[in-house]
Amino acid sequence: MEEQLWKACEDRKVDEVINLLQNTQINTNWQDSNKRTPFYIACENGHIEVVKLLLNDNRIDINKSNRYDYTPLHIACENSHFEVVKLLLKDQRFDINKMDQWYHHTPFHVACEYGHIEIVKLFISDKRVDINQTDNYGQTPFYRACWKGCTEVVKLLLNDNRVEINRARDSGVTPFYIACDYEQIEVVKLLLNDKRIDINKAENQGETPFYRACYYGRLEIVKLLLNDERVN
């Protein structure tokens, strides 16, 4: 019966979910081999009607994570299910800053590094969100967005004064440094246009973004930096 509920949630069989939830003996938080609950799989697949049904059942553990400590909110952010994320953020029961087991990424980290701009907007408008939360390498959501080349997210976060735009990870690498190192040209251009960015900040071994770009032959990055008189 529990597996039937899980499958009905996965397949968006709303009427079947309604009927199964009427059983008071059913374990509504049953998990598959990856420790995904019916609620988790509904969020993963973006089945908003099923998600609404389950949210209204007080037996549902809405924060129950999978085997990697990924919550339903994490997976909804990763898969860009905007309406699901919007719905979940309205529910005060959610631990919206919960970190996963392996990388200590929050749902906000996930939304930023996947470049889901509309979801990022939802998060930065929610005062509960720790927008500078670091993962187990000291990386902020802004850092991850710069690294992954999520230009629109970077642009949005640069306009939020709460974001620590020069905050380095544990190794001393800054968001600007990582954008240069991974040749995220459009992100580098954005950062160069913001006078708050410390473009000469070296990592812990003393390498600056310019030195690194020269050493590894990042020609386009070198050209950009040579046109900025601040580079030393």
Side-chain angles (χ1 to χ4, degrees):
M1 186 180 298
E2 281 80 10
E3 291 186 49
Q4 186 180 353
L5 174 63
W6 193 98
K7 187 63 175 172
C9 290
E10 180 186 34
D11 295 338
R12 197 169 57 186
K13 295 181 178 178
V14 177
D15 290 340
E16 188 174 348
V17 171
I18 291 172
N19 288 334
L20 289 167
L21 287 177
Q22 290 174 356
N23 187 322
T24 59
Q25 302 302 313
I26 194 171
N27 176 12
T28 58
N29 297 303
W30 180 87
Q31 295 170 295
D32 71 351
S33 59
N34 288 313
K35 294 192 174 181
R36 297 176 301 175
T37 64
F39 183 68
Y40 186 102
I41 196 64
C43 291
E44 180 175 350
N45 290 346
H47 298 331
I48 189 72
E49 305 94 337
V50 176
V51 172
K52 287 178 180 178
L53 279 174
L54 298 177
L55 280 175
N56 287 327
D57 191 312
N58 59 19
R59 294 171 295 175
I60 302 295
D61 184 348
I62 61 175
N63 287 300
K64 199 167 187 63
S65 54
N66 72 358
R67 68 188 306 172
Y68 305 111
D69 241 12
Y70 232 47
T71 66
L73 185 55
H74 277 97
I75 196 63
C77 288
E78 179 175 318
N79 291 345
S80 194
H81 294 314
F82 175 82
E83 292 301 329
V84 172
V85 174
K86 186 177 180 181
L87 183 64
L88 301 188
L89 288 178
K90 288 180 180 178
D91 195 311
Q92 297 297 312
R93 294 174 294 170
F94 276 98
D95 182 358
I96 63 175
N97 293 306
K98 182 176 173 60
M99 296 180 284
D100 67 41
Q101 177 181 350
W102 297 108
Y103 301 108
H104 289 183
H105 287 167
T106 65
F108 186 54
H109 272 102
V110 174
C112 288
E113 74 169 282
Y114 278 88
H116 299 323
I117 187 69
E118 296 305 320
I119 292 177
V120 172
K121 289 177 182 177
L122 287 176
F123 274 95
I124 63 176
S125 65
D126 192 314
K127 301 304 182 185
R128 297 172 297 166
V129 175
D130 184 348
I131 62 175
N132 293 303
Q133 176 66 52
T134 56
D135 63 15
N136 59 351
Y137 295 108
Q139 300 169 353
T140 64
F142 180 71
Y143 180 103
R144 300 288 298 181
C146 290
W147 182 7
K148 299 294 183 177
C150 301
T151 308
E152 292 305 311
V153 172
V154 172
K155 188 184 299 183
L156 180 67
L157 296 182
L158 283 173
N159 287 324
D160 191 315
N161 291 327
R162 297 172 298 168
V163 176
E164 298 175 16
I165 59 178
N166 289 304
R167 185 165 181 174
R169 59 168 288 176
D170 297 344
S171 61
V173 172
T174 64
F176 181 70
Y177 186 110
I178 200 67
C180 290
D181 200 26
Y182 277 78
E183 298 181 274
Q184 303 293 3
I185 301 294
E186 296 307 314
V187 171
V188 172
K189 288 178 180 177
L190 275 176
L191 298 179
L192 283 173
N193 284 331
D194 192 310
K195 301 305 180 186
R196 298 172 299 166
I197 299 294
D198 185 349
I199 63 177
N200 294 304
K201 187 172 177 59
E203 44 79 81
N204 293 347
Q205 302 301 315
E207 292 183 359
T208 65
F210 182 63
Y211 175 93
R212 181 85 170 179
C214 290
Y215 186 86
Y216 285 100
R218 321 280 197 221
L219 183 59
E220 294 305 314
I221 298 296
V222 171
K223 287 179 180 178
L224 280 174
L225 298 184
L226 284 175
N227 284 327
D228 195 306
E229 62 184 12
R230 294 172 297 166
V231 174
N232 55 34

